[in-house]
Amino acid sequence: MSDEIIETYDVIVLGAGPVGENVADRACAAGLSTVVIESELVGGECSYWACEPSKALLRPALLYAEAARFPGVASTVTGPLDARAVFANRDRMVADWNDRGQVEWLESAGIALLRGHGRLDGVRQVTVETPDGGAVRLRARHAVAVCTGTRAALPPLPGLDTVRPWTSREATGARAVPGRLAILGAGVVAVEMATAWRALGAEVVLIAREPRLLTRVEPFAAELVADRLRAAGVELRFDSGIVSAERAGGADDGVHVSLPDGTRLVVDELLLATGRAPRTDDIGMETIGLVPGDWLTTDDTFTVTAVEGDWLYAVGDVNRRALLTHQGKYQARIAGAVIADRAAGRDLDTSPWGRHAGTADLLAVPQVVVADPEIAAVGCTVEEAARAGRAVDVVDYDIGHVAGALQHDPDYRGRARILIDPDRRVIVGATFAGPGVAELLHSATIAIAGEVPLDRLWHAVPSFPTISEVWLRLLETYRDQRAKS
């Protein structure tokens, strides 16, 4: 390997997922020469193994479930989903795992791409091992942004090395429906994949170490999803886990799974949906005094706090602030502006672009769980408010009482909740659970991020007959609660 530094850029970005692309785009638009290093596909986890393919599998499942409940349509819904057609559409959504289109976008934006595995190699330096076995050394004049994201975190199960378990990648990319699927986990990946694969015809058992699903959302929302999963035929085992797993014979013998109560299951595939770990174990962290495999802690400009000189940034999942694609892209927009301002010698507090700070990671993180029913949530939950010692007024409303909901589903089951700061009279949390509620989420996000007073929200008139009329009902319910107190 040559030690010669052969290329210098203003900004080097490790990782070409949505986050890295956005950091690079902002830096390049500000006139900074920028290179992105990627070892897999340009577009990253979200485009090829997470958001896009998972929703392509889920959309037919949810359409089928909704149609099967609707008068005049239910009688025409016969037979199972066409798995082959679902997979074909999934493949189309991920461009058959070909990143040509994403590469063309980078080129059109003036961003350089270097294929290979990039590692930090001292202050503002990166070494890239290229696919042909060569090495390229790069130097950054201003910034290096680590946007390497996360990978599936596997539990230390005995026999795991023989099992060849599914992670989220295999679950979203599979080309055949397993006859029997066991899922270990209770979070979003576990719930969404249980929904999709059950609809595609697999027998599914979901094994959770927790006492319920989706422990980070309001319990009422999680219970609605659990009810639908049970009704669809998914077996739910709470307060459980897996003691061991092995694929004793050939692939046809299946995976033998042992549970703590002595139960033994035999399944065709085992999906481990047990969390995420940062992709920092092999990116040269040790060369700048950091620990390989650790999360990277940042301030609100996404500058790594443990490294001096304001040159290293950690953006997206790798900083553990909010493991969501849209939040990572939000962070990238801020980090890109910060890098541009610092490169130009501008004071961040007096920047012409406004003060840069990632406050949404703390106050208004929106998320949709694409399940049956949908869950849309932003801000804090009742449990989180209690842990923080924060006083909130809780307002609940049955969405099924709204005319627009009944147009959506005559037997609509759903619920809305907002949390109100009684002193400031602003909304600090909102959760909606029910069919079609995802489109309510941005209005709640604006209300929380903008700290819109309740007195003004009364003048945001919802259209009739839409599900958004639940906003009016929530405000009326709160008015009545206050009148009685």
Side-chain angles (χ1 to χ4, degrees):
M1 180 193 302
S2 171
D3 289 332
E4 180 186 4
I5 297 173
I6 63 170
E7 298 220 29
T8 299
Y9 290 87
D10 292 323
V11 181
I12 300 171
V13 179
L14 289 178
V19 175
E21 288 177 323
N22 274 267
V23 172
D25 186 40
R26 290 302 169 107
C28 198
L32 300 176
S33 60
T34 305
V35 61
V36 175
I37 301 160
E38 178 55 55
S39 60
E40 294 186 294
L41 296 176
V42 175
E45 197 80 14
C46 179
S47 298
Y48 303 102
W49 300 287
C51 317
E52 296 283 358
S54 67
K55 304 315 172 277
L57 294 177
L58 283 159
R59 181 63 176 154
L62 299 180
L63 280 173
Y64 189 96
E66 184 176 347
R69 294 194 292 263
F70 205 88
V73 180
S75 60
T76 70
V77 178
T78 58
L81 285 176
D82 183 343
R84 211 164 157 188
V86 172
F87 293 153
N89 183 60
R90 183 268 320 272
D91 295 351
R92 179 186 64 83
M93 290 297 295
V94 300
D96 290 312
W97 290 275
N98 185 305
D99 64 0
R100 186 184 308 110
Q102 298 279 56
V103 172
E104 290 173 354
W105 175 82
L106 282 180
E107 292 172 348
S108 70
I111 302 165
L113 170 65
L114 182 57
R115 300 275 192 180
H117 184 81
R119 293 183 180 87
L120 296 163
D121 192 15
V123 176
R124 293 190 180 89
Q125 295 192 162
V126 173
T127 296
V128 183
E129 292 180 8
T130 57
D132 62 5
V136 177
R137 296 197 68 192
L138 305 174
R139 172 180 287 158
R141 294 187 186 92
H142 299 293
V144 176
V146 178
C147 307
T148 49
T150 59
R151 56 175 173 75
L154 302 183
L157 285 176
L160 196 58
D161 55 341
T162 69
V163 170
R164 302 184 302 281
W166 278 8
T167 66
S168 54
R169 285 195 171 196
E170 289 77 19
T172 59
R175 297 188 175 277
V177 179
R180 301 151 298 173
L181 172 65
I183 301 174
L184 177 62
V188 175
V189 171
V191 165
E192 292 188 348
M193 290 299 94
T195 302
W197 286 106
R198 178 63 193 130
L200 286 165
E203 294 180 15
V204 178
V205 54
L206 189 152
I207 304 161
R209 290 175 284 201
E210 298 82 356
R212 68 174 178 90
L213 299 176
L214 302 167
T215 56
R216 295 185 180 181
V217 306
E218 297 284 9
F220 75 81
E223 191 54 42
L224 285 170
V225 171
D227 288 346
R228 286 289 195 200
L229 285 173
R230 290 190 187 99
V234 174
E235 181 183 353
L236 302 180
R237 289 176 171 262
F238 295 122
D239 293 312
S240 184
I242 292 179
V243 176
S244 65
E246 62 178 347
R247 204 181 282 269
D252 293 339
D253 290 340
V255 181
H256 296 250
V257 178
S258 298
L259 308 187
D261 63 2
T263 301
R264 286 182 62 84
L265 306 174
V266 181
V267 297
D268 296 292
E269 300 293 348
L270 170 63
L271 166 58
L272 299 177
T274 49
R276 307 292 295 178
R279 289 180 180 270
T280 62
D281 52 318
D282 189 22
I283 63 166
M285 296 262 281
E286 67 282 358
T287 70
I288 54 170
L290 301 179
V291 179
D294 275 3
W295 301 92
L296 288 166
T297 301
T298 71
D299 61 18
D300 288 343
T301 66
F302 307 104
T303 307
V304 175
T305 54
V307 175
E308 295 181 354
D310 293 340
W311 64 272
L312 185 65
Y313 297 78
V315 194
D317 287 7
V318 76
N319 62 35
R320 209 181 192 179
R321 291 168 68 106
L323 276 64
L324 296 161
T325 297
H326 46 274
Q327 290 298 124
K329 291 164 73 173
Y330 160 78
Q331 294 176 11
R333 294 191 291 272
I334 292 172
V338 169
I339 290 168
D341 278 345
R342 283 178 171 159
R346 289 189 287 263
D347 188 309
L348 297 186
D349 290 330
T350 59
S351 166
W353 315 111
R355 187 173 185 278
H356 310 300
T359 56
D361 290 336
L362 304 174
L363 303 175
V365 176
Q367 181 175 17
V368 176
V369 181
V370 182
D372 184 13
E374 289 176 338
I375 300 174
V378 60
C380 67
T381 63
V382 171
E383 183 179 332
E384 288 166 345
R387 281 202 304 265
R390 189 176 194 178
V392 293
D393 291 336
V394 181
V395 187
D396 288 331
Y397 194 81
D398 185 336
I399 303 176
H401 293 161
V402 175
L406 298 179
Q407 295 283 352
H408 196 96
D409 184 340
D411 296 316
Y412 194 101
R413 286 191 66 206
R415 185 171 163 192
R417 168 174 289 176
I418 57 174
L419 306 184
I420 296 172
D421 183 320
D423 297 323
R424 295 188 298 135
R425 289 179 60 78
V426 296
I427 296 173
V428 295
T431 299
F432 306 95
V437 298
E439 298 307 325
L440 295 173
L441 187 56
H442 195 54
S443 54
T445 304
I446 291 171
I448 294 173
E451 299 181 314
V452 181
L454 295 185
D455 291 345
R456 290 306 307 158
L457 283 179
W458 277 104
H459 299 284
V461 182
S463 299
F464 180 90
T466 65
I467 298 176
S468 63
E469 199 177 14
V470 73
W471 276 108
L472 175 59
R473 304 304 173 212
L474 286 164
L475 294 177
E476 290 175 335
T477 301
Y478 187 54
R479 175 198 60 196
D480 295 343
Q481 286 178 192
R482 297 278 290 186
K484 292 176 183 177
S485 61

